[in-house]
Amino acid sequence: MIAQPQWFARRKYLGWGLYPKTWQGWVYIAVMIALLVIMSFVPTVSAQTVQTVTLIWVGLCIVDIADVMVRMNKDEREKIHEAFAERNALWVMLAVLVVAIGYQASQSIVKTGAPTFDPFIIAAIFAGLIAKAITNIYLDRKD
Amino acid sequence: MKTRISEFRKELGLTQEDLAQKVDVTRQTIISLEQGKYNPSLKLAHDITKALKQKQIEDVFEL
């Protein structure tokens, strides 16, 4: 792909993802945004074309950045730190989601007499469950 | 874990960055190792021992 791992650093303290650490990284971000902006101002291009190309462009950017994140070289200490940080983040998010389910269920019981749940919250927890199982199966087989 | 990384590194005239590049880790990892804050894997301990031209892991890392 286009972006190179050495242009970026892992975001550790403010969110997830990457941030540019070299001028090439900043140029990459600037070019990606500039091309989108320039295209949207071309008068001959229809709104639907702009929308379609924007979606494709954003998708390509996400795939390219994901590729960089996978290829980013991390040493063993960094991998351990990242694993602990992500695990702690997951536990906190999971706790909030469980509290949210309980709150929604209690509120719906008060209003309607029957519990209702936000399907997206259930889906998020279920997806996490699957990801965890797959990871453990992979790791158990790997070593 | 106590180590003699800093001592052997200086004897070879290597900077922390030089050693980090030789064993494919970050400089921060070398700093943590020299300060005895981080316990390396067997592979990293082996790589560092080789990079510092020592014969045995025990020469560099106090077990």
Side-chain angles (χ1 to χ4, degrees):
Chain A
M1 297 292 285
I2 306 162
Q4 295 301 314
Q6 60 269 25
W7 298 349
F8 299 91
R10 184 171 66 89
R11 200 176 286 279
K12 289 168 74 175
Y13 307 107
L14 288 170
W16 286 266
L18 307 169
Y19 66 91
K21 72 170 182 181
T22 64
W23 64 267
Q24 291 97 330
W26 285 108
V27 168
Y28 172 83
I29 299 285
V31 168
M32 288 297 187
I33 294 170
L35 287 174
L36 256 185
V37 173
I38 289 167
M39 186 196 62
S40 64
F41 281 104
V42 175
T44 53
V45 179
S46 71
Q48 194 177 357
T49 306
V50 169
Q51 196 177 19
T52 307
V53 174
T54 300
L55 276 174
I56 293 169
W57 191 247
V58 169
L60 279 174
C61 290
I62 290 170
V63 169
D64 200 24
I65 292 295
D67 175 60
V68 167
M69 290 178 80
V70 169
R71 288 192 295 135
M72 188 166 272
N73 192 21
K74 283 173 278 190
D75 68 26
E76 59 181 50
R77 178 178 156 278
E78 288 176 317
K79 283 178 186 169
I80 292 167
H81 285 201
E82 185 180 24
F84 277 126
E86 298 298 341
R87 181 204 62 182
N88 289 349
L90 171 69
W91 281 357
V92 171
M93 282 192 274
L94 200 55
V96 171
L97 291 178
V98 169
V99 169
I101 287 173
Y103 176 76
Q104 287 178 346
S106 64
Q107 289 295 304
S108 59
I109 287 171
V110 169
K111 285 179 187 170
T112 64
T116 55
F117 304 101
D118 185 332
F120 286 103
I121 294 179
I122 304 293
I125 293 173
F126 192 69
L129 192 81
I130 292 170
K132 181 182 175 181
I134 290 170
T135 305
N136 275 320
I137 290 167
Y138 170 76
L139 291 175
D140 285 345
R141 287 186 180 179
K142 186 172 167 247
D143 49 31
Chain B
M1 181 187 283
K2 281 187 180 178
T3 76
R4 297 175 68 191
I5 294 174
S6 175
E7 180 188 332
F8 292 133
R9 177 175 61 75
K10 284 170 187 168
E11 277 178 16
L12 292 172
L14 294 172
T15 64
Q16 289 173 328
E17 188 63 47
D18 293 336
L19 180 59
Q21 283 181 5
K22 276 177 179 282
V23 296
D24 199 24
V25 299
T26 61
R27 181 170 164 261
Q28 187 56 50
T29 297
I30 298 297
I31 292 169
S32 292
L33 285 163
E34 288 187 353
Q35 291 175 344
K37 290 180 180 174
Y38 175 64
N39 293 336
S41 67
L42 185 59
K43 183 187 180 301
L44 180 55
H46 175 266
D47 290 348
I48 288 171
T49 303
K50 290 281 177 195
L52 295 174
K53 300 189 190 312
Q54 298 301 306
K55 287 180 181 171
Q56 294 188 323
I57 289 176
E58 291 93 324
D59 296 336
V60 181
F61 297 91
E62 194 174 283
L63 302 176

